[in-house]
Amino acid sequence: MSVLTTEPDAVPGGEEPPDTGERHRLTAVTGLAALSLDAMASVAYGPEAIVLVLAGAGARGLGFTLPVTLAIAALLAVLVASYRQVIAAFPDGGGAYAVARAHLGARTGLVAAASLVLDYVLNVAVAVTAGVAALTSAFPGLYGDRLWLCLAVLALITGVNLRGIVESARAFIVPTAVFVGAIFVLIAVGLFRDHPVSTASAAGHASVVADNATTVGTLLLLKAFASGCAALTGVEAIANAVPSFRVPRTRRAQRAEVALGAVLALMLIGLSVLIGRFHLQPVAGVTVLAQLADAALGHNAAFYVIQFATMILLALSANTSFGGLPVLLKLLARDDHAPHVFALKADRQVHRHGVLALAVVSAALLVFSGGDTNTLVPMFAIGVFVGFTIAQVGMVRHWRAERGRGWRGKALLNGGGALLTGVAAVVVTASKFTEGAWLIVLALPALVAAFEAVRRAYGRIDARLGLGLLPRAPHRERSLVIVPVSALSRLTSEALSAAASLGDEVRAVSVCAPDPEDRVRARAFARSWRDWDPGVELVRLTPERHGLGRPIAAYVRAVAAAEPGTRVTVLIPEAEPERLWQRLLQNQRGAVVAHAVRRETDAVICRLRFRL
């Protein structure tokens, strides 16, 4: 026996091999641009979150800004090391969900998935509102239109992502590079300053530092640490979206993860050093980053470059969610915990339904909040801490199960990370509970319940369909095709021809309304049918009430009862208009009949599209 084989790249005629979709996937650089915007933009509010908490202890408390930041950077290193291992162990993506499902059970996996879903959705809303807030701060006249501006930015980001993840990455490379470059220039210049060049941005604004210094206790430092950990949101996005990278996917994703960790850590530590160097004190109405730019660069064009770069990157950092959530929904759909439509891909390797679902829910959140960042921030970051903790615990179980070389050290690293992120989750939830965190506490179990409900529904469907079991052998049954008709046309002829090809017997069915005018029209149609004589019986239905779908459905039920063992098919002819807008001109009779037959009978429905 001989078998003819061809190599994958061997295409007749010397043509290039077919596109496998790799060109629509991410490299390490484009992956960093597409999936790190959330983490990069967090330097705009991470250090500020630390400073605002420590300001409650006066100038003495502000002196702990750098130690707290170093602790956060250490946790960042742990997370990056852990997620590098997650990427290698789970190359299909999913991050915390995949780890928890494999090592902690399905229920814990759903908790991780729910936490990530909440974090991704809230990240979009927070990022867009924060970016628009920066814009309205520069142009106060736009403040009244902030909600419409938020929705416009969301629509823009959604449109870019529907074009494909590579296109979105390319679009965001320049803003990311400008922002990161500007922050590093700020840090480098600031390190050579002995004192602030300018304090114009803070002039006239009230300080939020406590007048009387208090003792800096462990609880205050924990709260500052937990608040500053908001800067770590987005670190998990690369591990969640590994399938979006080009081959070798694992290696490219790991490189992007390490680069993200290194750049983020340097920016956080550098900004914290400048805060201590300039003895910066937070003031109402001016961001800490703006004060640092003012102090290091002066109140000039460079200051506004920093502000505009921050504004743009904050708005675009929502793209991290558009890269991570659709992949997570795909994995949930694969495991029957989300509608299977989320597993479908468009021709540009886009999970289009996941992108659109994220956009719709985020738009609802924007409308709910009125475009106000402060309404959303208390709910932000809790979900990601829960996901971090679950992922770390899962990786400890992973190392214990494998017991490879150096597994104890790796397990200790992940265990320490789980402890730190778990403490952060508890502290943030407790401190922000009355400010909106209670909503996350309710939403998290509600999402888990929804995932389980979807799984049970698919389980019932699988049982009815007998999936996984050998079905009985196919057999032939007598077939009757019923064709609803109302007039003689080419569409009627095509429908009857198709019906004759499908069944042993064809019957045309016409519904005559009780009005005298309709009865006259029905008699004229019957005479035309006899004159045409297509060789198909015309059945005239005369219901007592007006209606089209129900009389046909009742006739189908009667036929099925009178002729058991007969396979009944209802073939519904419909004209397919040449232009999309012309669908508005159709009478929708086919949809009415299909709905009634589907709801009231077990007949097979076939809708014949006749292109005009």
Side-chain angles (χ1 to χ4, degrees):
M1 171 188 263
S2 63
V3 179
L4 179 62
T5 61
T6 59
E7 294 296 326
D9 294 335
V11 179
E15 300 177 359
E16 294 184 0
D19 181 17
T20 60
E22 287 299 308
R23 67 188 182 92
H24 295 300
R25 298 183 187 270
L26 300 170
T27 64
V29 174
T30 56
L32 188 64
L35 300 172
S36 69
L37 294 177
D38 179 16
M40 296 294 186
S42 66
V43 301
Y45 50 81
E48 182 163 5
I50 299 171
V51 169
L52 288 175
V53 173
L54 295 177
R60 181 178 176 82
L62 290 174
F64 286 86
T65 301
L66 183 57
V68 171
T69 302
L70 291 174
I72 293 173
L75 177 57
L76 173 62
V78 172
L79 290 175
V80 169
S82 175
Y83 276 106
R84 282 188 78 255
Q85 301 302 326
V86 171
I87 290 168
F90 299 92
D92 289 335
Y97 169 66
V99 175
R101 182 171 179 81
H103 298 292
L104 300 176
R107 176 68 63 85
T108 308
L110 293 181
V111 174
S115 69
L116 289 174
V117 169
L118 291 173
D119 178 64
Y120 280 138
V121 173
L122 284 167
N123 172 58
V124 173
V126 169
V128 171
T129 55
V132 171
L135 176 66
T136 56
S137 296
F139 303 99
L142 298 176
Y143 184 79
D145 298 320
R146 64 189 184 280
L147 176 58
W148 294 108
L149 290 171
C150 287
L151 295 175
V153 172
L154 177 61
L156 174 64
I157 298 172
T158 303
V160 171
N161 278 275
L162 288 174
R163 292 281 300 168
I165 192 166
V166 169
E167 280 73 9
S168 70
R170 289 170 180 164
F172 300 145
I173 283 178
V174 173
T176 304
V178 170
F179 176 80
V180 173
I183 295 298
F184 278 124
V185 168
L186 184 158
I187 293 171
V189 173
L191 290 175
F192 289 96
R193 304 285 191 192
D194 294 327
H195 55 81
V197 176
S198 169
T199 58
S201 61
H205 294 268
S207 174
V208 299
V209 179
D211 295 331
N212 53 334
T214 61
T215 303
V216 182
T218 303
L219 185 59
L220 182 69
L221 292 177
L222 279 176
K223 190 174 180 180
F225 172 79
S227 297
C229 280
L232 303 181
T233 57
V235 173
E236 80 291 346
I238 292 174
N240 290 340
V242 179
S244 299
F245 284 83
R246 294 180 186 175
V247 291
R249 310 196 200 288
T250 298
R251 190 179 306 167
R252 291 183 188 275
Q254 286 179 326
R255 289 174 180 171
E257 185 74 47
V258 171
L260 167 61
V263 172
L264 181 57
L266 288 174
M267 289 194 294
L268 289 173
I269 294 172
L271 292 177
S272 295
V273 170
L274 293 187
I275 289 172
R277 190 178 188 86
F278 296 140
H279 304 289
L280 183 144
Q281 296 186 357
V283 298
V286 180
T287 66
V288 168
L289 186 60
Q291 292 187 66
L292 288 176
D294 201 12
L297 304 175
H299 205 75
N300 48 32
F303 170 82
Y304 287 102
V305 168
I306 296 285
Q307 295 307 106
F308 277 101
T310 303
M311 174 194 70
I312 293 172
L313 202 72
L314 276 169
L316 297 184
S317 65
N319 192 68
T320 299
S321 295
F322 283 97
L325 183 59
V327 175
L328 177 61
L329 289 176
K330 179 202 75 170
L331 296 178
L332 287 167
R334 184 195 64 187
D335 296 333
D336 291 340
H337 291 298
H340 289 172
V341 69
F342 289 122
L344 300 180
K345 271 189 177 181
D347 56 354
R348 290 176 177 267
Q349 301 297 313
V350 178
H351 296 287
R352 183 169 295 165
H353 295 91
V355 170
L356 292 175
L358 176 58
V360 170
V361 177
S362 300
L365 268 178
L366 291 173
V367 173
F368 166 75
S369 67
D372 181 25
T373 309
N374 294 327
T375 304
L376 298 168
V377 166
M379 299 181 286
F380 191 43
I382 296 175
V384 78
F385 286 136
V386 174
F388 280 163
T389 304
I390 292 175
Q392 299 283 329
V393 173
M395 289 307 293
V396 171
R397 295 286 298 271
H398 174 75
W399 299 129
R400 289 186 62 185
E402 283 199 349
R403 292 185 178 271
R405 184 178 179 181
W407 72 272
R408 284 188 175 85
K410 296 176 181 177
L412 182 62
L413 182 70
N414 292 133
L419 178 63
L420 291 174
T421 54
V423 169
V426 172
V427 172
V428 172
T429 304
S431 62
K432 302 293 185 181
F433 188 82
T434 58
E435 300 176 34
W438 62 269
L439 186 59
I440 300 300
V441 174
L442 295 178
L444 194 62
L447 261 180
V448 173
F451 293 151
E452 292 181 330
V454 171
R455 180 67 187 90
R456 288 193 298 271
Y458 275 125
R460 290 192 294 268
I461 294 172
D462 292 352
R464 293 290 299 274
L465 294 177
L467 292 182
L469 303 175
L470 290 177
R472 66 177 183 176
H475 61 285
R476 192 180 190 283
E477 293 179 340
R478 179 177 178 273
S479 178
L480 168 64
V481 183
I482 296 174
V483 183
V485 295
S486 59
L488 296 185
S489 64
R490 287 183 59 193
L491 179 59
T492 306
S493 176
E494 290 288 337
L496 294 179
S497 297
S501 303
L502 291 174
D504 300 314
E505 181 184 353
V506 178
R507 296 179 193 173
V509 175
S510 175
V511 178
C512 174
D515 295 340
E517 181 181 350
D518 291 326
R519 293 187 181 278
V520 171
R521 189 182 298 111
R523 285 194 291 271
F525 175 61
R527 286 194 299 270
S528 300
W529 190 273
R530 286 194 298 271
D531 294 340
W532 183 37
D533 191 17
V536 174
E537 176 188 359
L538 176 64
V539 179
R540 297 173 58 189
L541 304 179
T542 55
E544 295 181 357
R545 298 181 181 180
H546 283 277
L548 178 64
R550 287 188 174 182
I552 294 177
Y555 176 73
V556 172
R557 287 200 309 271
V559 169
E563 304 178 36
T566 299
R567 179 78 63 176
V568 179
T569 300
V570 179
L571 188 146
I572 304 172
E574 296 176 289
E576 183 75 19
E578 185 179 6
R579 297 285 186 269
L580 182 63
W581 68 267
Q582 292 174 340
R583 294 184 181 181
L584 299 174
L585 307 178
Q586 293 180 298
N587 55 30
Q588 305 301 321
R589 291 167 60 94
V592 171
V593 173
H595 176 72
V597 173
R598 181 182 298 110
R599 185 181 58 184
E600 301 180 18
T601 77
D602 294 327
V604 177
I605 298 174
C606 179
R607 301 180 75 168
L608 175 68
R609 305 284 187 177
F610 180 75
R611 295 186 179 276
L612 299 178

